[in-house]
Amino acid sequence: MKVLVIGGGGREHALCAAIRRSPRVSEVVCAPGNGGIAQVARCVKASQKDLGDLLRVVAEEQADLTVVGPELPLALGLVDEMLRRGLKVFGPTRDAAMLETSKGFAKRFMQRHSIPTANYAVCGSRTEALAALELFHHPVVIKADGLQAGKGVLICETKDEAERAVTGLFSGELLGTAETNVVVEEFLKGEELSFLALSDGKHATPLLPAQDHKRIGEGDTGPNTGGMGVYTADTLLDPKMSEWILHHIVQKAIDGMAAEETPFVGVLYCGLMMTAKGPMVLEFNARFGDPETQAILPRLESDLVEALEACVQGRLSETEFRWKPGASACVVAASQGYPGSYTVGYPITGLDDAAKVPAVEVFHAGTTWDGATYRTAGGRVLGVTATGATLGEALGSAYPAMERISFEGMVYRRDIGRRTRV
Ligand code: AMP
Ligand code: GLY
């Protein structure tokens, strides 16, 4: 069968590599893909921001299954259009993706279905938000309602800071566009955990839990990024806690979406804070995490395509998952300046040497191939991933592999996987 993957980052590289391992797959196409993805899939030009262009690729390729990586095509309604045309597609409809695309919707949904989350107020004006601030202790969290690629969350230590954040979001000064809704939220303390589950709209099956490292700097300092590294380990989460999260968070969300007639088919990513009072949802995403997917899929031994197809066909409960025991780690190499502005086009050396380290896979997040050399083409450039019997072993392969790679201004965190308990 032929599988089409939409997207062009490290997540899509990991997806394409896992899809290609399926004995049922004869061809993998990625739109638009990137320099590294071209090693495992045929890449075709496409604009991820343009629904018409994505539908053109879909019509041209006639794939047996399409897998949507990023959130933007979901928000544009790519899945809705494909379903209308009777095509097989893995990912939620635009309404189901609102769990990610509107923080206000997600918070109200959690409240309706008694899913544990931080106390909050959704505010439609600056005046309303300033009044709501009186009800919260500091630090307080201020969030823009819509998709902001991790940039719309502000943790404010003082009242002054919070007032400035609210004013800046509503005026458009902070993010470039004026927000119509802002969420004011209680600050939660604890370790963060990414808990992803596949769903066919009714049933849910968890993937391996992972811990992301969102800040740019070592010791969790500096601005938030899309994720600078992530690990999985059999010791990361107690099986009883995993069951609790599956039943009290994931299954409740899937049941709630079905009851509201927007069944969720795809991967539900729960960004959790493991607080003293138990796990609480910080955010939902309606897609695979990045870099989480780069650490999770190398440990999947069973057939990913079989699982994705089971979701689309409503028979996930019959599907078995087998995981390689142990651990995995993915360390991200980024361009100097990320998550702010950065320069692209620098040649990357050492990729072949890095791939020779046993148990290592190098996923490309932002690269191009000019026929002779790979060059940097994004903020996050590479995800160097390794598996191992223990987290220490995985890190002991990922870091030496990373040291073989270099490009101008290469930045990576040396402390991925140091905090090993949630
Ligand atoms: P979000 O996009 O909602 O996941 O937020 C991005 C990051 O901000 C999260 O990964 C957390 O590190 C932090 N964050 C968001 N909400 C809260 C909260 N209520 N309490 C503490 N930290 C938060
Ligand atoms: N790693 C965070 C995300 O995918 O949203």
Side-chain angles (χ1 to χ4, degrees):
M1 72 191 271
K2 175 171 171 179
V3 182
L4 169 64
V5 175
I6 307 290
R11 163 184 49 213
E12 287 76 23
H13 194 173
L15 281 166
C16 287
I19 288 167
R20 214 173 83 132
R21 286 200 293 273
S22 168
R24 297 174 51 207
V25 171
S26 51
E27 191 181 6
V28 188
V29 181
C30 192
N34 66 34
I37 294 176
Q39 296 167 357
V40 292
R42 176 165 59 80
C43 295
V44 295
K45 281 211 171 84
S47 163
Q48 297 177 63
K49 297 178 191 157
D50 180 345
L51 180 60
D53 200 41
L54 292 172
L55 287 168
R56 173 193 58 80
V57 173
V58 162
E60 275 172 20
E61 293 298 334
Q62 295 290 318
D64 300 295
L65 175 68
T66 298
V67 182
V68 185
E71 59 277 20
L72 195 54
L74 300 173
L76 293 174
L78 177 62
V79 171
D80 308 57
E81 280 300 324
M82 289 187 67
L83 292 176
R84 218 166 280 146
R85 292 165 198 207
L87 299 170
K88 248 201 260 171
V89 55
F90 176 87
T93 58
R94 179 168 33 193
D95 284 350
M98 276 180 73
L99 280 180
E100 170 166 4
T101 58
S102 166
K103 288 194 190 289
F105 171 82
K107 293 299 281 190
R108 292 194 194 99
F109 173 86
M110 286 187 264
Q111 194 170 36
R112 285 200 290 283
H113 297 283
S114 310
I115 295 170
T117 188
N119 287 324
Y120 71 100
V122 182
C123 307
S125 69
R126 176 175 172 269
T127 318
E128 212 183 309
L130 292 181
L133 280 179
E134 300 296 329
L135 308 172
F136 287 83
H137 293 289
H138 291 96
V140 64
V141 185
I142 313 285
K143 298 184 177 184
D145 184 63
L147 287 179
Q148 298 292 349
K151 289 186 191 142
V153 176
L154 298 134
I155 295 171
C156 304
E157 301 288 340
T158 63
K159 194 173 169 197
D160 244 26
E161 233 180 275
E163 287 181 357
R164 275 201 307 273
V166 161
T167 306
L169 285 175
F170 278 113
S171 71
E173 210 175 295
L174 266 179
L175 295 173
T177 48
E179 288 296 315
T180 47
N181 279 300
V182 161
V183 178
V184 178
E185 191 173 286
E186 171 196 10
F187 177 81
L188 298 175
K189 272 202 211 97
E191 289 282 336
E192 281 185 56
L193 183 76
S194 304
F195 194 96
L196 281 68
L198 296 184
S199 178
D200 60 5
K202 248 185 172 169
H203 309 99
T205 302
L207 303 177
L208 296 175
Q211 191 171 50
D212 191 10
H213 298 61
K214 288 225 168 87
R215 304 290 196 96
I216 186 75
E218 282 161 23
D220 298 322
T221 51
N224 254 330
T225 69
M228 290 299 293
V230 64
Y231 71 92
T232 72
D234 288 344
T235 49
L236 176 61
L237 189 66
D238 177 78
K240 273 200 198 129
M241 183 59 95
S242 180
E243 274 298 300
W244 193 94
I245 294 169
L246 184 62
H247 289 290
H248 293 85
I249 293 178
V250 177
Q251 193 62 53
K252 264 194 194 171
I254 297 301
D255 291 346
M257 290 304 276
E260 296 186 8
E261 289 174 10
T262 46
F264 188 96
V265 175
V267 55
L268 181 66
Y269 167 139
C270 308
L272 305 177
M273 188 70 94
M274 307 300 280
T275 75
K277 287 193 253 165
M280 291 194 161
V281 178
L282 288 178
E283 62 162 349
F284 283 126
N285 292 318
R287 49 162 178 86
F288 283 99
D290 196 0
E292 284 88 341
T293 307
Q294 300 178 55
I296 293 171
L297 291 183
R299 288 187 58 197
L300 181 66
E301 285 182 334
S302 48
D303 187 340
L304 177 65
V305 173
E306 171 56 31
L308 301 180
E309 208 176 35
C311 289
V312 172
Q313 295 174 338
R315 51 176 184 80
L316 183 61
S317 57
E318 298 160 21
T319 310
E320 265 192 83
F321 287 75
R322 278 191 326 282
W323 299 98
K324 194 190 277 187
S328 62
C330 168
V331 184
V332 170
S335 300
Q336 180 81 53
Y338 174 77
S341 56
Y342 50 83
T343 308
V344 296
Y346 295 120
I348 308 169
T349 59
L351 287 166
D352 288 343
D353 271 353
K356 283 183 197 142
V357 177
V360 165
E361 272 183 276
V362 180
F363 295 119
H364 292 226
T367 72
T368 52
W369 169 251
D370 64 13
T373 315
Y374 286 105
R375 290 179 184 274
T376 64
R380 290 189 291 179
V381 178
L382 301 165
V384 178
T385 299
T387 53
T390 61
L391 179 58
E393 213 178 286
L395 291 165
S397 300
Y399 276 109
M402 183 65 102
E403 280 159 21
R404 296 181 181 195
I405 298 173
S406 91
F407 57 83
E408 172 109 24
M410 174 168 143
V411 175
Y412 64 93
R413 279 181 60 167
R414 284 153 178 87
D415 64 346
I416 303 304
R418 287 264 186 83
R419 297 187 326 236
T420 54
R421 292 192 51 203
V422 288

